[in-house]
Amino acid sequence: MEALRASYGDSSSDSDTDDLSPASPVTANSGEKDSISLPPPPLALLDSIVSTGSLDFFSTEPGVRVRNFPHVDGNYALHVYVPEADVPLSILCKDDQKFERALGREFHISLGRNVPLRVHQINSVISMLRQKLQLQKRYLIDFNKWEVFVNDDHTRSFLSLEITTSGLSEISKQIDAVNEVYKLHNLPEFYKDPRPHISLVWALGDIRTSLKGAVDVELRKLRAGGCVQNRIFTSKFCGIECKIGNKTHKICKLPDE
């Protein structure tokens, strides 16, 4: 047991903190559904948000990160996700260097909540996840909608790219499989109506109104200019990972093409 604890790092470390991704699909939408998929807002959007002083782009200061759950000795943060390391910044923005500084680089699609896991549950969770998810086929994921999300306790707001077409069905089935494993271990399941996405930038507090407003202004400019496309960019599904404490496990990995 002690050897197992040692391999997952100190349970009181930052591995118990949140993963800088939205914890719930609470959005700034007022009920209006946009049926047009649009390209990303220009760099001016970032400038306009930064000028308000509200957005802290992926700050690494120790005081910024907030736990999703209280620390308990012997607990390790569990997170199951699809890694998306190949986000093409050149497509998102012409000024790559400035955009690179604004973004985090560990993009991912969450397949389950970030929850505390007891040390004696680790092997069982990994084994069951692999059993249910190891046989996956490659598919394409279209990121085609900008959306604003806020986490459960309203401590963070996120500017995200949502998946609403290609890849949504496959990811939804993977979320169902993860939910089954969580349920068997008495862990909180994912949200009833999950909205798969990757988060690009985040801000402290609930600033959904100002952030959504800034996005809407830029998108209206693009509409007026006749700039419309079916997707922002497309990525290939390449596998699923599970992070427990400081250790990452490959649940399934497809061979490189």
Side-chain angles (χ1 to χ4, degrees):
M1 185 68 73
E2 291 302 321
L4 185 60
R5 284 198 179 100
S7 69
Y8 284 87
D10 185 350
S11 62
S12 64
S13 70
D14 282 345
S15 61
D16 288 272
T17 58
D18 66 29
D19 59 351
L20 304 186
S21 65
S24 70
V26 180
T27 72
N29 283 343
S30 59
E32 178 185 358
K33 292 188 178 180
D34 193 347
S35 60
I36 301 176
S37 297
L38 296 168
L43 191 61
L45 172 60
L46 295 183
D47 292 334
S48 65
I49 298 174
V50 172
S51 66
T52 68
S54 299
L55 197 57
D56 184 356
F57 289 123
F58 284 89
S59 172
T60 57
E61 293 298 319
V64 170
R65 305 191 72 183
V66 180
R67 294 183 185 278
N68 276 349
F69 41 82
H71 166 67
V72 176
D73 286 338
N75 280 2
Y76 296 86
L78 165 66
H79 186 211
V80 186
Y81 56 92
V82 175
E84 291 291 330
D86 58 346
V87 175
L89 296 186
S90 60
I91 293 178
L92 295 178
C93 183
K94 293 181 180 178
D95 190 337
D96 289 357
Q97 289 187 343
K98 189 168 184 179
F99 210 52
E100 177 81 29
R101 291 196 300 271
L103 300 181
R105 297 301 293 143
E106 295 183 2
F107 305 123
H108 59 262
I109 303 168
S110 292
L111 300 180
R113 289 178 184 262
N114 189 358
V115 298
L117 184 70
R118 298 296 295 175
V119 66
H120 68 271
Q121 296 177 306
I122 291 175
N123 289 337
S124 175
V125 165
I126 295 171
S127 176
M128 288 189 182
L129 286 173
R130 286 176 174 162
Q131 180 182 10
K132 291 182 176 295
L133 293 166
Q134 64 179 344
L135 298 179
Q136 300 289 316
K137 295 181 179 180
R138 194 179 301 278
Y139 59 87
L140 295 179
I141 304 171
D142 283 347
F143 296 89
N144 55 356
K145 182 183 179 184
W146 286 92
E147 188 56 271
V148 176
F149 291 85
V150 178
N151 64 359
D152 279 343
D153 53 9
H154 296 249
T155 58
R156 295 192 185 196
S157 303
F158 302 84
L159 179 59
S160 307
L161 287 172
E162 188 176 358
I163 304 157
T164 63
T165 54
S166 179
L168 179 60
S169 175
E170 292 86 349
I171 293 172
S172 296
K173 292 176 182 177
Q174 292 167 352
I175 289 173
D176 289 341
V178 173
N179 273 339
E180 290 180 24
V181 176
Y182 274 37
K183 186 176 181 179
L184 289 171
H185 292 83
N186 295 316
L187 299 173
E189 298 175 50
F190 213 41
Y191 305 94
K192 290 184 178 179
D193 299 306
R195 298 175 60 182
H197 60 273
I198 59 173
S199 294
L200 299 181
V201 293
W202 60 271
L204 289 175
D206 185 345
I207 63 164
R208 73 182 82 180
T209 301
S210 59
L211 186 54
K212 187 65 163 65
V215 171
D216 288 343
V217 167
E218 297 299 332
L219 294 183
R220 282 198 295 270
K221 292 179 183 178
L222 292 171
R223 284 192 186 94
C227 187
V228 179
Q229 62 186 43
N230 292 329
R231 67 188 64 85
I232 297 172
F233 72 92
T234 299
S235 177
K236 292 180 180 179
F237 168 77
C238 294
I240 297 172
E241 295 181 354
C242 168
K243 187 171 184 180
I244 303 176
N246 295 324
K247 192 169 182 179
T248 300
H249 301 266
K250 299 289 185 182
I251 300 302
C252 79
K253 180 174 176 59
L254 301 184
D256 296 332
E257 290 184 342

